[in-house]
PDB file of all heavy atoms in Angstrom:
ATOM      1  N   SER A  83     -21.430  29.487 -58.924  1.00  0.00           N
ATOM      2  CA  SER A  83     -21.737  30.692 -58.162  1.00  0.00           C
ATOM      3  C   SER A  83     -22.752  30.514 -57.038  1.00  0.00           C
ATOM      4  O   SER A  83     -23.277  31.488 -56.510  1.00  0.00           O
ATOM      5  CB  SER A  83     -22.263  31.795 -59.114  1.00  0.00           C
ATOM      6  OG  SER A  83     -21.270  32.076 -60.111  1.00  0.00           O
ATOM      7  N   ARG A  84     -23.042  29.297 -56.673  1.00  0.00           N
ATOM      8  CA  ARG A  84     -23.892  28.986 -55.543  1.00  0.00           C
ATOM      9  C   ARG A  84     -23.141  28.434 -54.401  1.00  0.00           C
ATOM     10  O   ARG A  84     -22.268  27.584 -54.561  1.00  0.00           O
ATOM     11  CB  ARG A  84     -24.943  27.949 -55.927  1.00  0.00           C
ATOM     12  CG  ARG A  84     -25.969  28.379 -56.880  1.00  0.00           C
ATOM     13  CD  ARG A  84     -26.972  27.285 -57.016  1.00  0.00           C
ATOM     14  NE  ARG A  84     -27.997  27.615 -57.988  1.00  0.00           N
ATOM     15  CZ  ARG A  84     -28.840  26.718 -58.458  1.00  0.00           C
ATOM     16  NH1 ARG A  84     -28.851  25.523 -57.993  1.00  0.00           N
ATOM     17  NH2 ARG A  84     -29.749  27.099 -59.358  1.00  0.00           N
ATOM     18  N   ARG A  85     -23.476  28.913 -53.213  1.00  0.00           N
ATOM     19  CA  ARG A  85     -22.847  28.396 -52.010  1.00  0.00           C
ATOM     20  C   ARG A  85     -23.650  27.213 -51.514  1.00  0.00           C
ATOM     21  O   ARG A  85     -24.882  27.342 -51.344  1.00  0.00           O
ATOM     22  CB  ARG A  85     -22.808  29.498 -50.955  1.00  0.00           C
ATOM     23  CG  ARG A  85     -21.928  29.104 -49.823  1.00  0.00           C
ATOM     24  CD  ARG A  85     -21.579  30.275 -48.977  1.00  0.00           C
ATOM     25  NE  ARG A  85     -20.786  29.684 -47.883  1.00  0.00           N
ATOM     26  CZ  ARG A  85     -20.593  30.229 -46.758  1.00  0.00           C
ATOM     27  NH1 ARG A  85     -21.005  31.415 -46.522  1.00  0.00           N
ATOM     28  NH2 ARG A  85     -19.875  29.590 -45.839  1.00  0.00           N
ATOM     29  N   ILE A  86     -23.002  26.076 -51.347  1.00  0.00           N
ATOM     30  CA  ILE A  86     -23.683  24.835 -51.011  1.00  0.00           C
ATOM     31  C   ILE A  86     -23.181  24.259 -49.693  1.00  0.00           C
ATOM     32  O   ILE A  86     -21.976  24.166 -49.469  1.00  0.00           O
ATOM     33  CB  ILE A  86     -23.523  23.786 -52.128  1.00  0.00           C
ATOM     34  CG1 ILE A  86     -24.045  24.326 -53.453  1.00  0.00           C
ATOM     35  CG2 ILE A  86     -24.168  22.460 -51.772  1.00  0.00           C
ATOM     36  CD1 ILE A  86     -23.712  23.538 -54.643  1.00  0.00           C
ATOM     37  N   HIS A  87     -24.109  23.912 -48.800  1.00  0.00           N
ATOM     38  CA  HIS A  87     -23.752  23.259 -47.551  1.00  0.00           C
ATOM     39  C   HIS A  87     -24.065  21.761 -47.748  1.00  0.00           C
ATOM     40  O   HIS A  87     -25.219  21.372 -48.023  1.00  0.00           O
ATOM     41  CB  HIS A  87     -24.609  23.819 -46.400  1.00  0.00           C
ATOM     42  CG  HIS A  87     -24.101  23.407 -45.071  1.00  0.00           C
ATOM     43  ND1 HIS A  87     -24.754  23.747 -43.916  1.00  0.00           N
ATOM     44  CD2 HIS A  87     -23.024  22.694 -44.653  1.00  0.00           C
ATOM     45  CE1 HIS A  87     -24.151  23.282 -42.844  1.00  0.00           C
ATOM     46  NE2 HIS A  87     -23.062  22.640 -43.285  1.00  0.00           N
ATOM     47  N   LYS A  88     -23.019  20.968 -47.605  1.00  0.00           N
ATOM     48  CA  LYS A  88     -23.202  19.527 -47.893  1.00  0.00           C
ATOM     49  C   LYS A  88     -22.932  18.692 -46.652  1.00  0.00           C
ATOM     50  O   LYS A  88     -22.000  18.981 -45.910  1.00  0.00           O
ATOM     51  CB  LYS A  88     -22.203  19.116 -48.973  1.00  0.00           C
ATOM     52  CG  LYS A  88     -22.386  17.637 -49.361  1.00  0.00           C
ATOM     53  CD  LYS A  88     -21.673  17.348 -50.680  1.00  0.00           C
ATOM     54  CE  LYS A  88     -21.972  15.953 -51.127  1.00  0.00           C
ATOM     55  NZ  LYS A  88     -21.491  15.743 -52.500  1.00  0.00           N
ATOM     56  N   TRP A  89     -23.799  17.723 -46.403  1.00  0.00           N
ATOM     57  CA  TRP A  89     -23.643  16.699 -45.364  1.00  0.00           C
ATOM     58  C   TRP A  89     -23.417  15.374 -46.053  1.00  0.00           C
ATOM     59  O   TRP A  89     -24.110  15.001 -46.959  1.00  0.00           O
ATOM     60  CB  TRP A  89     -24.926  16.635 -44.501  1.00  0.00           C
ATOM     61  CG  TRP A  89     -25.162  17.763 -43.595  1.00  0.00           C
ATOM     62  CD1 TRP A  89     -24.723  17.853 -42.281  1.00  0.00           C
ATOM     63  CD2 TRP A  89     -25.807  18.970 -43.838  1.00  0.00           C
ATOM     64  NE1 TRP A  89     -25.117  19.061 -41.744  1.00  0.00           N
ATOM     65  CE2 TRP A  89     -25.772  19.754 -42.677  1.00  0.00           C
ATOM     66  CE3 TRP A  89     -26.448  19.490 -44.983  1.00  0.00           C
ATOM     67  CZ2 TRP A  89     -26.367  21.005 -42.594  1.00  0.00           C
ATOM     68  CZ3 TRP A  89     -27.021  20.741 -44.931  1.00  0.00           C
ATOM     69  CH2 TRP A  89     -26.970  21.481 -43.731  1.00  0.00           C
ATOM     70  N   VAL A  90     -22.476  14.638 -45.515  1.00  0.00           N
ATOM     71  CA  VAL A  90     -22.182  13.267 -45.983  1.00  0.00           C
ATOM     72  C   VAL A  90     -22.201  12.298 -44.844  1.00  0.00           C
ATOM     73  O   VAL A  90     -21.355  12.418 -43.950  1.00  0.00           O
ATOM     74  CB  VAL A  90     -20.815  13.219 -46.746  1.00  0.00           C
ATOM     75  CG1 VAL A  90     -20.653  11.796 -47.350  1.00  0.00           C
ATOM     76  CG2 VAL A  90     -20.683  14.252 -47.811  1.00  0.00           C
ATOM     77  N   HIS A  91     -23.182  11.389 -44.855  1.00  0.00           N
ATOM     78  CA  HIS A  91     -23.316  10.373 -43.777  1.00  0.00           C
ATOM     79  C   HIS A  91     -22.499   9.157 -44.231  1.00  0.00           C
ATOM     80  O   HIS A  91     -22.729   8.621 -45.312  1.00  0.00           O
ATOM     81  CB  HIS A  91     -24.787  10.005 -43.615  1.00  0.00           C
ATOM     82  CG  HIS A  91     -25.687  11.140 -43.315  1.00  0.00           C
ATOM     83  ND1 HIS A  91     -25.702  11.708 -42.028  1.00  0.00           N
ATOM     84  CD2 HIS A  91     -26.547  11.835 -44.068  1.00  0.00           C
ATOM     85  CE1 HIS A  91     -26.587  12.696 -42.052  1.00  0.00           C
ATOM     86  NE2 HIS A  91     -27.092  12.826 -43.266  1.00  0.00           N
ATOM     87  N   HIS A  92     -21.550   8.773 -43.365  1.00  0.00           N
ATOM     88  CA  HIS A  92     -20.717   7.597 -43.657  1.00  0.00           C
ATOM     89  C   HIS A  92     -21.058   6.458 -42.691  1.00  0.00           C
ATOM     90  O   HIS A  92     -21.321   6.704 -41.532  1.00  0.00           O
ATOM     91  CB  HIS A  92     -19.219   7.964 -43.487  1.00  0.00           C
ATOM     92  CG  HIS A  92     -18.725   8.842 -44.543  1.00  0.00           C
ATOM     93  ND1 HIS A  92     -18.806  10.224 -44.520  1.00  0.00           N
ATOM     94  CD2 HIS A  92     -18.067   8.564 -45.727  1.00  0.00           C
ATOM     95  CE1 HIS A  92     -18.281  10.735 -45.585  1.00  0.00           C
ATOM     96  NE2 HIS A  92     -17.816   9.743 -46.328  1.00  0.00           N
ATOM     97  N   PHE A  93     -20.981   5.257 -43.239  1.00  0.00           N
ATOM     98  CA  PHE A  93     -21.296   4.050 -42.494  1.00  0.00           C
ATOM     99  C   PHE A  93     -20.178   3.024 -42.639  1.00  0.00           C
ATOM    100  O   PHE A  93     -19.423   3.097 -43.635  1.00  0.00           O
ATOM    101  CB  PHE A  93     -22.630   3.448 -42.980  1.00  0.00           C
ATOM    102  CG  PHE A  93     -23.784   4.365 -42.823  1.00  0.00           C
ATOM    103  CD1 PHE A  93     -24.175   5.272 -43.784  1.00  0.00           C
ATOM    104  CD2 PHE A  93     -24.518   4.336 -41.619  1.00  0.00           C
ATOM    105  CE1 PHE A  93     -25.183   6.130 -43.593  1.00  0.00           C
ATOM    106  CE2 PHE A  93     -25.604   5.218 -41.409  1.00  0.00           C
ATOM    107  CZ  PHE A  93     -25.944   6.126 -42.432  1.00  0.00           C
ATOM    108  N   VAL A  94     -20.087   2.116 -41.696  1.00  0.00           N
ATOM    109  CA  VAL A  94     -19.226   0.966 -41.812  1.00  0.00           C
ATOM    110  C   VAL A  94     -20.078  -0.134 -42.450  1.00  0.00           C
ATOM    111  O   VAL A  94     -21.212  -0.396 -41.969  1.00  0.00           O
ATOM    112  CB  VAL A  94     -18.687   0.447 -40.464  1.00  0.00           C
ATOM    113  CG1 VAL A  94     -17.853  -0.800 -40.620  1.00  0.00           C
ATOM    114  CG2 VAL A  94     -17.897   1.566 -39.778  1.00  0.00           C
ATOM    115  N   LEU A  95     -19.619  -0.701 -43.524  1.00  0.00           N
ATOM    116  CA  LEU A  95     -20.311  -1.825 -44.198  1.00  0.00           C
ATOM    117  C   LEU A  95     -19.493  -3.072 -44.115  1.00  0.00           C
ATOM    118  O   LEU A  95     -18.260  -3.009 -44.136  1.00  0.00           O
ATOM    119  CB  LEU A  95     -20.633  -1.417 -45.656  1.00  0.00           C
ATOM    120  CG  LEU A  95     -21.562  -0.271 -45.886  1.00  0.00           C
ATOM    121  CD1 LEU A  95     -20.793   1.008 -46.045  1.00  0.00           C
ATOM    122  CD2 LEU A  95     -22.460  -0.536 -47.043  1.00  0.00           C
ATOM    123  N   THR A  96     -20.168  -4.197 -44.121  1.00  0.00           N
ATOM    124  CA  THR A  96     -19.509  -5.492 -43.971  1.00  0.00           C
ATOM    125  C   THR A  96     -20.155  -6.551 -44.783  1.00  0.00           C
ATOM    126  O   THR A  96     -21.162  -6.288 -45.484  1.00  0.00           O
ATOM    127  CB  THR A  96     -19.448  -5.878 -42.457  1.00  0.00           C
ATOM    128  OG1 THR A  96     -18.611  -7.017 -42.301  1.00  0.00           O
ATOM    129  CG2 THR A  96     -20.780  -6.172 -41.885  1.00  0.00           C
ATOM    130  N   ASP A  97     -19.673  -7.759 -44.726  1.00  0.00           N
ATOM    131  CA  ASP A  97     -20.197  -8.895 -45.502  1.00  0.00           C
ATOM    132  C   ASP A  97     -20.298  -8.625 -46.983  1.00  0.00           C
ATOM    133  O   ASP A  97     -21.351  -8.827 -47.611  1.00  0.00           O
ATOM    134  CB  ASP A  97     -21.568  -9.334 -44.952  1.00  0.00           C
ATOM    135  CG  ASP A  97     -21.525  -9.698 -43.483  1.00  0.00           C
ATOM    136  OD1 ASP A  97     -20.527 -10.268 -43.026  1.00  0.00           O
ATOM    137  OD2 ASP A  97     -22.495  -9.410 -42.765  1.00  0.00           O
ATOM    138  N   PRO A  98     -19.176  -8.148 -47.610  1.00  0.00           N
ATOM    139  CA  PRO A  98     -19.258  -7.836 -49.022  1.00  0.00           C
ATOM    140  C   PRO A  98     -19.440  -9.062 -49.881  1.00  0.00           C
ATOM    141  O   PRO A  98     -18.858 -10.121 -49.627  1.00  0.00           O
ATOM    142  CB  PRO A  98     -17.878  -7.151 -49.288  1.00  0.00           C
ATOM    143  CG  PRO A  98     -16.991  -7.740 -48.241  1.00  0.00           C
ATOM    144  CD  PRO A  98     -17.845  -7.929 -47.035  1.00  0.00           C
ATOM    145  N   VAL A  99     -20.270  -8.904 -50.898  1.00  0.00           N
ATOM    146  CA  VAL A  99     -20.504  -9.963 -51.893  1.00  0.00           C
ATOM    147  C   VAL A  99     -20.218  -9.350 -53.252  1.00  0.00           C
ATOM    148  O   VAL A  99     -20.637  -8.280 -53.538  1.00  0.00           O
ATOM    149  CB  VAL A  99     -21.971 -10.469 -51.808  1.00  0.00           C
ATOM    150  CG1 VAL A  99     -22.231 -11.471 -52.868  1.00  0.00           C
ATOM    151  CG2 VAL A  99     -22.227 -11.066 -50.437  1.00  0.00           C
ATOM    152  N   GLY A 100     -19.495 -10.124 -54.090  1.00  0.00           N
ATOM    153  CA  GLY A 100     -19.205  -9.634 -55.445  1.00  0.00           C
ATOM    154  C   GLY A 100     -17.711  -9.466 -55.648  1.00  0.00           C
ATOM    155  O   GLY A 100     -16.908  -9.786 -54.792  1.00  0.00           O
ATOM    156  N   GLU A 101     -17.396  -8.906 -56.793  1.00  0.00           N
ATOM    157  CA  GLU A 101     -16.022  -8.613 -57.164  1.00  0.00           C
ATOM    158  C   GLU A 101     -15.853  -7.092 -57.388  1.00  0.00           C
ATOM    159  O   GLU A 101     -16.769  -6.421 -57.830  1.00  0.00           O
ATOM    160  CB  GLU A 101     -15.655  -9.341 -58.507  1.00  0.00           C
ATOM    161  CG  GLU A 101     -15.773 -10.853 -58.447  1.00  0.00           C
ATOM    162  CD  GLU A 101     -14.700 -11.462 -57.548  1.00  0.00           C
ATOM    163  OE1 GLU A 101     -13.561 -10.909 -57.540  1.00  0.00           O
ATOM    164  OE2 GLU A 101     -15.036 -12.425 -56.850  1.00  0.00           O
ATOM    165  N   LEU A 102     -14.672  -6.628 -57.020  1.00  0.00           N
ATOM    166  CA  LEU A 102     -14.401  -5.206 -57.273  1.00  0.00           C
ATOM    167  C   LEU A 102     -14.488  -4.912 -58.774  1.00  0.00           C
ATOM    168  O   LEU A 102     -14.023  -5.704 -59.586  1.00  0.00           O
ATOM    169  CB  LEU A 102     -13.002  -4.831 -56.765  1.00  0.00           C
ATOM    170  CG  LEU A 102     -12.748  -4.894 -55.238  1.00  0.00           C
ATOM    171  CD1 LEU A 102     -11.316  -4.519 -54.961  1.00  0.00           C
ATOM    172  CD2 LEU A 102     -13.704  -4.030 -54.466  1.00  0.00           C
ATOM    173  N   SER A 103     -15.115  -3.768 -59.072  1.00  0.00           N
ATOM    174  CA  SER A 103     -15.194  -3.374 -60.480  1.00  0.00           C
ATOM    175  C   SER A 103     -15.208  -1.879 -60.586  1.00  0.00           C
ATOM    176  O   SER A 103     -15.529  -1.155 -59.681  1.00  0.00           O
ATOM    177  CB  SER A 103     -16.480  -3.957 -61.090  1.00  0.00           C
ATOM    178  OG  SER A 103     -17.613  -3.247 -60.650  1.00  0.00           O
ATOM    179  N   THR A 104     -14.880  -1.393 -61.777  1.00  0.00           N
ATOM    180  CA  THR A 104     -14.874   0.029 -62.087  1.00  0.00           C
ATOM    181  C   THR A 104     -15.942   0.313 -63.179  1.00  0.00           C
ATOM    182  O   THR A 104     -15.703   1.106 -64.067  1.00  0.00           O
ATOM    183  CB  THR A 104     -13.492   0.476 -62.580  1.00  0.00           C
ATOM    184  OG1 THR A 104     -13.113  -0.311 -63.682  1.00  0.00           O
ATOM    185  CG2 THR A 104     -12.479   0.383 -61.490  1.00  0.00           C
ATOM    186  N   HIS A 105     -17.085  -0.310 -63.035  1.00  0.00           N
ATOM    187  CA  HIS A 105     -18.185  -0.121 -64.017  1.00  0.00           C
ATOM    188  C   HIS A 105     -18.731   1.335 -63.934  1.00  0.00           C
ATOM    189  O   HIS A 105     -19.229   1.835 -64.962  1.00  0.00           O
ATOM    190  CB  HIS A 105     -19.290  -1.083 -63.808  1.00  0.00           C
ATOM    191  CG  HIS A 105     -18.937  -2.468 -64.163  1.00  0.00           C
ATOM    192  ND1 HIS A 105     -18.740  -2.873 -65.473  1.00  0.00           N
ATOM    193  CD2 HIS A 105     -18.692  -3.583 -63.424  1.00  0.00           C
ATOM    194  CE1 HIS A 105     -18.407  -4.152 -65.504  1.00  0.00           C
ATOM    195  NE2 HIS A 105     -18.352  -4.573 -64.261  1.00  0.00           N
ATOM    196  N   ASP A 106     -18.665   1.994 -62.808  1.00  0.00           N
ATOM    197  CA  ASP A 106     -19.142   3.345 -62.701  1.00  0.00           C
ATOM    198  C   ASP A 106     -18.196   4.280 -63.422  1.00  0.00           C
ATOM    199  O   ASP A 106     -16.976   4.221 -63.229  1.00  0.00           O
ATOM    200  CB  ASP A 106     -19.194   3.706 -61.191  1.00  0.00           C
ATOM    201  CG  ASP A 106     -19.892   5.057 -60.940  1.00  0.00           C
ATOM    202  OD1 ASP A 106     -19.413   6.080 -61.480  1.00  0.00           O
ATOM    203  OD2 ASP A 106     -20.887   5.072 -60.222  1.00  0.00           O
ATOM    204  N   ILE A 107     -18.717   5.124 -64.293  1.00  0.00           N
ATOM    205  CA  ILE A 107     -17.847   5.968 -65.129  1.00  0.00           C
ATOM    206  C   ILE A 107     -17.067   6.980 -64.346  1.00  0.00           C
ATOM    207  O   ILE A 107     -16.055   7.473 -64.797  1.00  0.00           O
ATOM    208  CB  ILE A 107     -18.651   6.685 -66.255  1.00  0.00           C
ATOM    209  CG1 ILE A 107     -19.714   7.568 -65.670  1.00  0.00           C
ATOM    210  CG2 ILE A 107     -19.267   5.702 -67.219  1.00  0.00           C
ATOM    211  CD1 ILE A 107     -20.415   8.480 -66.663  1.00  0.00           C
ATOM    212  N   GLU A 108     -17.509   7.322 -63.143  1.00  0.00           N
ATOM    213  CA  GLU A 108     -16.792   8.269 -62.287  1.00  0.00           C
ATOM    214  C   GLU A 108     -15.586   7.657 -61.590  1.00  0.00           C
ATOM    215  O   GLU A 108     -14.762   8.347 -61.062  1.00  0.00           O
ATOM    216  CB  GLU A 108     -17.757   8.839 -61.259  1.00  0.00           C
ATOM    217  CG  GLU A 108     -18.908   9.607 -61.813  1.00  0.00           C
ATOM    218  CD  GLU A 108     -19.890  10.052 -60.734  1.00  0.00           C
ATOM    219  OE1 GLU A 108     -19.622   9.864 -59.563  1.00  0.00           O
ATOM    220  OE2 GLU A 108     -20.924  10.594 -61.126  1.00  0.00           O
ATOM    221  N   VAL A 109     -15.500   6.325 -61.552  1.00  0.00           N
ATOM    222  CA  VAL A 109     -14.476   5.625 -60.787  1.00  0.00           C
ATOM    223  C   VAL A 109     -13.424   5.033 -61.758  1.00  0.00           C
ATOM    224  O   VAL A 109     -13.748   4.304 -62.665  1.00  0.00           O
ATOM    225  CB  VAL A 109     -15.113   4.482 -59.943  1.00  0.00           C
ATOM    226  CG1 VAL A 109     -14.040   3.719 -59.199  1.00  0.00           C
ATOM    227  CG2 VAL A 109     -16.142   5.061 -58.978  1.00  0.00           C
ATOM    228  N   GLU A 110     -12.169   5.377 -61.451  1.00  0.00           N
ATOM    229  CA  GLU A 110     -11.070   4.871 -62.278  1.00  0.00           C
ATOM    230  C   GLU A 110     -10.415   3.635 -61.647  1.00  0.00           C
ATOM    231  O   GLU A 110      -9.981   2.732 -62.381  1.00  0.00           O
ATOM    232  CB  GLU A 110     -10.038   5.992 -62.453  1.00  0.00           C
ATOM    233  CG  GLU A 110      -9.011   5.615 -63.473  1.00  0.00           C
ATOM    234  CD  GLU A 110      -8.195   6.799 -63.911  1.00  0.00           C
ATOM    235  OE1 GLU A 110      -8.756   7.878 -64.149  1.00  0.00           O
ATOM    236  OE2 GLU A 110      -6.946   6.647 -64.005  1.00  0.00           O
ATOM    237  N   GLN A 111     -10.352   3.577 -60.323  1.00  0.00           N
ATOM    238  CA  GLN A 111      -9.770   2.424 -59.660  1.00  0.00           C
ATOM    239  C   GLN A 111     -10.555   2.094 -58.395  1.00  0.00           C
ATOM    240  O   GLN A 111     -11.141   2.976 -57.783  1.00  0.00           O
ATOM    241  CB  GLN A 111      -8.323   2.702 -59.265  1.00  0.00           C
ATOM    242  CG  GLN A 111      -7.339   2.797 -60.458  1.00  0.00           C
ATOM    243  CD  GLN A 111      -5.934   3.057 -59.979  1.00  0.00           C
ATOM    244  OE1 GLN A 111      -5.486   2.469 -58.996  1.00  0.00           O
ATOM    245  NE2 GLN A 111      -5.208   3.883 -60.690  1.00  0.00           N
ATOM    246  N   VAL A 112     -10.555   0.777 -58.031  1.00  0.00           N
ATOM    247  CA  VAL A 112     -11.155   0.346 -56.775  1.00  0.00           C
ATOM    248  C   VAL A 112     -10.170  -0.653 -56.174  1.00  0.00           C
ATOM    249  O   VAL A 112      -9.635  -1.490 -56.898  1.00  0.00           O
ATOM    250  CB  VAL A 112     -12.515  -0.402 -57.034  1.00  0.00           C
ATOM    251  CG1 VAL A 112     -13.109  -0.860 -55.732  1.00  0.00           C
ATOM    252  CG2 VAL A 112     -13.465   0.525 -57.775  1.00  0.00           C
ATOM    253  N   ALA A 113      -9.992  -0.608 -54.890  1.00  0.00           N
ATOM    254  CA  ALA A 113      -8.968  -1.481 -54.251  1.00  0.00           C
ATOM    255  C   ALA A 113      -9.271  -1.761 -52.803  1.00  0.00           C
ATOM    256  O   ALA A 113      -9.781  -0.882 -52.113  1.00  0.00           O
ATOM    257  CB  ALA A 113      -7.547  -0.884 -54.395  1.00  0.00           C
ATOM    258  N   TRP A 114      -8.950  -3.002 -52.418  1.00  0.00           N
ATOM    259  CA  TRP A 114      -8.859  -3.319 -51.017  1.00  0.00           C
ATOM    260  C   TRP A 114      -7.561  -2.710 -50.500  1.00  0.00           C
ATOM    261  O   TRP A 114      -6.511  -3.028 -51.103  1.00  0.00           O
ATOM    262  CB  TRP A 114      -8.888  -4.832 -50.763  1.00  0.00           C
ATOM    263  CG  TRP A 114     -10.223  -5.453 -50.829  1.00  0.00           C
ATOM    264  CD1 TRP A 114     -10.696  -6.160 -51.868  1.00  0.00           C
ATOM    265  CD2 TRP A 114     -11.208  -5.465 -49.845  1.00  0.00           C
ATOM    266  NE1 TRP A 114     -12.000  -6.564 -51.563  1.00  0.00           N
ATOM    267  CE2 TRP A 114     -12.342  -6.148 -50.306  1.00  0.00           C
ATOM    268  CE3 TRP A 114     -11.294  -4.884 -48.523  1.00  0.00           C
ATOM    269  CZ2 TRP A 114     -13.474  -6.355 -49.602  1.00  0.00           C
ATOM    270  CZ3 TRP A 114     -12.459  -5.068 -47.819  1.00  0.00           C
ATOM    271  CH2 TRP A 114     -13.534  -5.804 -48.350  1.00  0.00           C
ATOM    272  N   VAL A 115      -7.590  -1.889 -49.510  1.00  0.00           N
ATOM    273  CA  VAL A 115      -6.370  -1.223 -49.018  1.00  0.00           C
ATOM    274  C   VAL A 115      -6.209  -1.587 -47.556  1.00  0.00           C
ATOM    275  O   VAL A 115      -7.147  -1.435 -46.755  1.00  0.00           O
ATOM    276  CB  VAL A 115      -6.496   0.309 -49.195  1.00  0.00           C
ATOM    277  CG1 VAL A 115      -5.269   1.033 -48.653  1.00  0.00           C
ATOM    278  CG2 VAL A 115      -6.690   0.694 -50.681  1.00  0.00           C
ATOM    279  N   PRO A 116      -5.007  -2.040 -47.193  1.00  0.00           N
ATOM    280  CA  PRO A 116      -4.742  -2.288 -45.767  1.00  0.00           C
ATOM    281  C   PRO A 116      -5.021  -1.044 -44.931  1.00  0.00           C
ATOM    282  O   PRO A 116      -4.661   0.068 -45.356  1.00  0.00           O
ATOM    283  CB  PRO A 116      -3.262  -2.705 -45.689  1.00  0.00           C
ATOM    284  CG  PRO A 116      -2.994  -3.225 -47.074  1.00  0.00           C
ATOM    285  CD  PRO A 116      -3.826  -2.371 -48.005  1.00  0.00           C
ATOM    286  N   LEU A 117      -5.630  -1.142 -43.797  1.00  0.00           N
ATOM    287  CA  LEU A 117      -5.993  -0.025 -42.947  1.00  0.00           C
ATOM    288  C   LEU A 117      -4.781   0.853 -42.655  1.00  0.00           C
ATOM    289  O   LEU A 117      -4.886   2.067 -42.668  1.00  0.00           O
ATOM    290  CB  LEU A 117      -6.694  -0.433 -41.690  1.00  0.00           C
ATOM    291  CG  LEU A 117      -8.130  -0.938 -41.811  1.00  0.00           C
ATOM    292  CD1 LEU A 117      -8.722  -1.267 -40.477  1.00  0.00           C
ATOM    293  CD2 LEU A 117      -9.001   0.036 -42.561  1.00  0.00           C
ATOM    294  N   GLU A 118      -3.619   0.204 -42.437  1.00  0.00           N
ATOM    295  CA  GLU A 118      -2.475   1.009 -42.080  1.00  0.00           C
ATOM    296  C   GLU A 118      -1.946   1.845 -43.263  1.00  0.00           C
ATOM    297  O   GLU A 118      -1.156   2.773 -43.070  1.00  0.00           O
ATOM    298  CB  GLU A 118      -1.320   0.143 -41.518  1.00  0.00           C
ATOM    299  CG  GLU A 118      -0.731  -0.900 -42.459  1.00  0.00           C
ATOM    300  CD  GLU A 118      -1.510  -2.198 -42.402  1.00  0.00           C
ATOM    301  OE1 GLU A 118      -2.504  -2.347 -41.702  1.00  0.00           O
ATOM    302  OE2 GLU A 118      -1.046  -3.186 -43.033  1.00  0.00           O
TER     303      GLU A 118
END
């Protein structure tokens, strides 16, 4: 019952280190997806 104004700042990130994982309980899948 509350009206919320939300801002989401998005960034481009690079130089990834590590392996894809779904350790976060909110996330079911993680994938590298071709841009197209």
Side-chain angles (χ1 to χ4, degrees):
S83 301
R84 288 186 185 170
R85 192 164 177 200
I86 300 169
H87 193 184
K88 184 165 187 170
W89 286 268
V90 185
H91 303 284
H92 289 85
F93 298 89
V94 177
L95 294 95
T96 188
D97 302 324
V99 175
E101 298 292 324
L102 294 180
S103 73
T104 56
H105 290 290
D106 189 300
I107 60 170
E108 298 174 6
V109 176
E110 191 165 316
Q111 293 181 37
V112 180
W114 281 102
V115 177
L117 287 183
E118 63 270 7

